[in-house]
Amino acid sequence: MNNDEILRTHGEALALFGTRVHAVREDQWDGPTPCTEWSVRALVNHLTAEQLWVPRLVRDRASITDIGSEYDGEVLGDDPAGAWDRAAVAAVAAFAERGALDRTVQLSYGSSPAAAYCTQMMADAVVHTWDLSRAIGADERLPGDLATAALREVEPYAPGLSASGLFAPAVEPPADADALTRLLCLLGRRP
């Protein structure tokens, strides 16, 4: 993808996740998600914390060490949807700054082009939008272009994900599976 496509898909993925966050009812925050270790609140907290890292890593060019444990733990406070909105707006703005995608960022696994980091963040938002949709009973269908972009991002490194212990083993998708189904199956989900 070129930089315009990266920014567009990233922004769309975060906006879509945001619609699901705003659809969470008060009685659903402690409910389970397809991520077996996470409640709805923990899932939203995870993705919100990830967005909080973006301005620091991309705009400020901070390292993981510089940031330390600043975004560990609970970041949602009393207004989870508002916390998400603020973090998402800041992340989108940081990636959209002139030249931001051409920078190098320091991530937990080493140096990475900011454009690759943005694409990874888009794919994560797409997958977690499906997780959140399933958890709260929202429409699980996602835009085909976002699913395709996320699948293209994840396919090259998918085989190593279950070995990390952070993902369930891949599931064999049906022969006629669309991009979203293939993506979810690669990540051990059962659509």
Side-chain angles (χ1 to χ4, degrees):
M1 288 190 288
N2 66 39
N3 284 356
D4 289 339
E5 292 170 317
I6 291 170
L7 292 173
R8 179 185 57 77
T9 58
H10 175 259
E12 288 177 6
L14 268 57
L16 188 60
F17 186 80
T19 65
R20 299 311 193 268
V21 172
H22 283 274
V24 177
R25 295 187 322 262
E26 282 304 313
D27 65 334
Q28 292 179 312
W29 285 104
D30 292 325
T33 70
C35 303
T36 57
E37 302 296 315
W38 288 340
S39 66
V40 168
R41 185 177 183 89
L43 173 65
V44 173
N45 189 74
H46 161 72
L47 213 60
T48 302
E50 283 197 344
Q51 304 322 304
L52 292 171
W53 281 87
V54 173
R56 297 292 310 281
L57 294 171
V58 175
R59 184 193 62 224
D60 302 342
R61 301 178 192 203
S63 70
I64 299 289
T65 305
D66 294 334
I67 299 167
S69 61
E70 188 173 337
Y71 304 121
D72 290 356
E74 169 67 39
V75 298
L76 297 178
D78 294 334
D79 181 16
W84 163 259
D85 290 342
R86 289 184 295 278
V89 165
V92 167
F95 278 127
E97 286 179 3
R98 181 182 208 126
L101 293 184
D102 298 323
R103 296 178 188 148
T104 298
V105 293
Q106 303 303 316
L107 303 174
S108 59
Y109 55 83
S111 297
S112 173
Y117 175 45
C118 187
T119 306
Q120 291 166 9
M121 295 291 281
M122 172 275 300
D124 198 41
V126 169
V127 172
H128 287 319
T129 297
W130 182 85
D131 292 333
L132 187 54
S133 298
R134 175 152 287 186
I136 66 171
D139 187 358
E140 295 176 15
R141 294 173 296 167
L142 305 180
D145 63 325
L146 283 180
T148 298
L151 178 62
R152 270 196 320 255
E153 168 60 27
V154 171
E155 275 182 319
Y157 54 82
L161 292 177
S162 67
S164 73
L166 300 174
F167 295 86
V171 175
E172 186 66 32
D176 62 346
D178 62 9
L180 179 61
T181 301
R182 292 194 334 259
L183 171 68
L184 296 170
C185 288
L186 270 177
L187 299 174
R189 279 131 171 111
R190 298 183 182 276

